[in-house]
């Protein structure tokens, strides 16, 4: 299938001083992939920023790594049960962690950017869909990421000043934050007290704060609001005390005009995903509706991540 020609631009992706191009182990391209990543772009990606926060549709695009190695995704329509439309995977390198894939279309190209970790090394990935063949490219950012069990990115692009943060959960029990600055990321320190936490995703991106949705190993669900000011501590609110222990990773998508969020959790032990609809987050007052297991296929990977547009903002809290 001939894919449309679009483009993706990411300003200032980098983390360490060394950014020489490098290819992680096992990179390949397969003929005529039909990933939902490409199909979802049609009419689903904002092409320019504007002053209105995106209300977003209620179709969630969830990506996942595969053992091949490769990347696949499922377009999930909420309902009871949620319906997943699974497409053919395309080859990618083996990854341990993947951040959100951001896409923007223009008149000449279509490609997605993300960050990925292979073993303990962080890479920038850009995957082009200019032809029938998905064409992934990689640039090595740096080593030293072995201790991180979760990585997520926020991307505020609606109004100036734009900003991009990287959050990492470490086995030492701290949550680290980095800010994009030109071609590098500047360390903004870390927050202690996250030893018992397990999975996380971003649910809000605003000029003054980001909010993460995090689970604990015991199954609790928390929001963690992190003000943009580097010296300000996070504000934690308990959403639910139990019920979320099974998930190794989370993905979120804005839904509706009232700040609702679709949240999908991935259970690695059963290769399955479960979707929830959540109201505007407000601690224990948050309405949570469980839609159940995503039908249509299995997720034979180790984690899921969000697939969205560069100007599709999350407004969950």
């Amino acid at each position: 299938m001939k894919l449309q020609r679009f483009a993706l631009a990411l300003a200032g992706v980098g983390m360490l001083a060394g950014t020489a191009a490098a290819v992680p182990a096992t990179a390949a391209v397969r003929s005529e992939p039909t990933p939902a990543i490409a199909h979802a772009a049609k009419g689903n990606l904002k092409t320019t920023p504007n002053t209105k926060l995106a209300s977003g549709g209620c179709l969630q695009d969830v990506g996942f790594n595969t053992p091949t190695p490769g990347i696949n995704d499922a377009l999930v329509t909420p309902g009871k049960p949620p319906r997943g439309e699974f497409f053919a995977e395309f080859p990618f390198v083996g990854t341990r962690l993947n951040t959100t894939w951001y896409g923007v279309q223009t008149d000449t190209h279509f490609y997605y950017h993300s960050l990925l970790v292979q073993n303990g090394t962080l890479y920038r990935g850009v995957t082009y869909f200019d032809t029938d063949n998905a064409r992934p490219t990689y640039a090595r950012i740096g080593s030293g990421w072995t201790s991180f069990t979760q990585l997520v990115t926020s991307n505020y692009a609606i109004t100036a000043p734009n900003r991009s943060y990287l959050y990492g959960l470490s086995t030492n029990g701290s949550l680290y934050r980095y800010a994009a600055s030109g071609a590098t990321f500047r360390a903004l320190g870390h927050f202690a007290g996250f030893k018992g936490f397990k999975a996380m995703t971003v649910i809000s991106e605003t000029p003054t704060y980001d909010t993460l949705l995090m689970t604990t190993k015991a199954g609790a669900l928390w929001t963690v609001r992190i003000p943009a000011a580097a010296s300000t501590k996070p504000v934690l609110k308990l959403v639910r005390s139990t019920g979320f222990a099974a998930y190794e990773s989370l993905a979120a998508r804005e839904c509706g005009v009232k700040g609702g969020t679709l949240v999908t959790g991935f259970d690695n032990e059963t290769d399955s995903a479960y979707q929830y609809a959540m109201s505007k987050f407000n601690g224990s007052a948050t309405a949570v509706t469980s839609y159940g297991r995503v039908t249509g296929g299995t997720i034979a990977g180790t984690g899921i991540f969000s697939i969205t547009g560069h100007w599709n903002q999350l407004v969950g809290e």
Side-chain angles (χ1 to χ4, degrees):
M1 179 182 295
K2 184 70 174 178
L3 301 181
Q4 290 185 347
R5 299 173 62 83
F6 305 118
L8 169 70
L10 172 65
V13 177
M15 174 85 48
L16 304 177
T19 57
V23 178
T26 317
V29 174
R30 172 181 172 180
S31 176
E32 295 190 359
T34 55
I37 293 175
H39 293 274
K42 300 176 183 179
N44 195 43
L45 301 182
K46 287 185 174 294
T47 57
T48 57
N50 57 50
T51 56
K52 288 186 177 181
L53 294 175
S55 61
C58 288
L59 186 69
Q60 187 177 15
D61 199 356
V62 177
F64 55 95
N65 61 318
T66 67
T68 308
I71 292 292
N72 202 345
D73 65 324
L75 291 173
V76 183
T77 301
K80 291 189 175 182
R83 303 187 309 275
E85 185 178 6
F86 289 74
F87 289 75
E89 72 177 76
F90 59 91
F92 205 72
V93 297
T95 59
R96 187 171 64 82
L97 299 171
N98 294 275
T99 68
T100 294
W101 283 43
Y102 297 102
V104 175
Q105 68 180 51
T106 69
D107 293 334
T108 55
H109 295 287
F110 169 31
Y111 60 101
Y112 279 80
H113 69 82
S114 66
L115 299 175
L116 61 103
V117 172
Q118 188 177 75
N119 300 319
T121 302
L122 184 70
Y123 292 87
R124 175 175 62 251
V126 177
T127 301
Y128 295 86
F129 292 94
D130 291 339
T131 67
D132 288 339
N133 297 328
R135 183 167 62 88
T137 65
Y138 316 92
R140 184 180 186 275
I141 295 174
S143 59
W145 298 88
T146 304
S147 70
F148 288 95
T149 60
Q150 298 276 306
L151 285 181
V152 297
T153 48
S154 70
N155 175 59
Y156 182 76
I158 296 295
T159 58
N162 298 339
R163 60 173 177 79
S164 179
Y165 285 163
L166 172 66
Y167 296 92
L169 183 64
S170 174
T171 54
N172 66 12
S174 291
L175 180 67
Y176 290 78
R177 178 169 62 169
Y178 305 84
S181 178
T184 64
F185 269 82
R186 177 169 52 92
L188 296 180
H190 64 276
F191 308 105
F194 288 86
K195 186 69 174 179
F197 284 81
K198 183 180 180 183
M200 66 184 189
T201 189
V202 177
I203 57 168
S204 279
E205 303 157 315
T206 81
T208 57
Y209 66 88
D210 288 328
T211 302
L212 309 185
L213 185 67
M214 301 183 70
T215 67
T216 67
K217 297 173 184 177
L221 187 69
W222 292 79
T223 57
V224 181
R225 177 183 287 202
I226 306 175
S231 60
T232 308
K233 294 182 179 180
V235 177
L236 279 70
K237 291 184 179 180
L238 180 65
V239 179
R240 294 292 186 271
S241 58
T242 61
F244 295 87
Y247 304 131
E248 280 74 32
S249 54
L250 303 173
R253 168 73 196 229
E254 75 279 3
C255 181
V257 297
K258 297 182 178 181
T261 302
L262 290 175
V263 177
T264 297
F266 172 64
D267 181 356
N268 188 37
E269 292 186 1
T270 60
D271 288 341
S272 58
Y274 295 78
Q275 190 179 65
Y276 300 82
M278 302 190 183
S279 68
K280 192 84 171 181
F281 283 92
N282 183 25
S284 60
T286 305
V288 177
T289 301
S290 174
Y291 286 149
R293 183 170 179 168
V294 176
T295 61
T298 59
I299 297 177
T302 58
I304 61 173
F305 53 88
S306 298
I307 299 171
T308 188
H310 185 76
W311 287 294
N312 289 67
Q313 302 300 141
L314 293 164
V315 294
E317 190 204 38

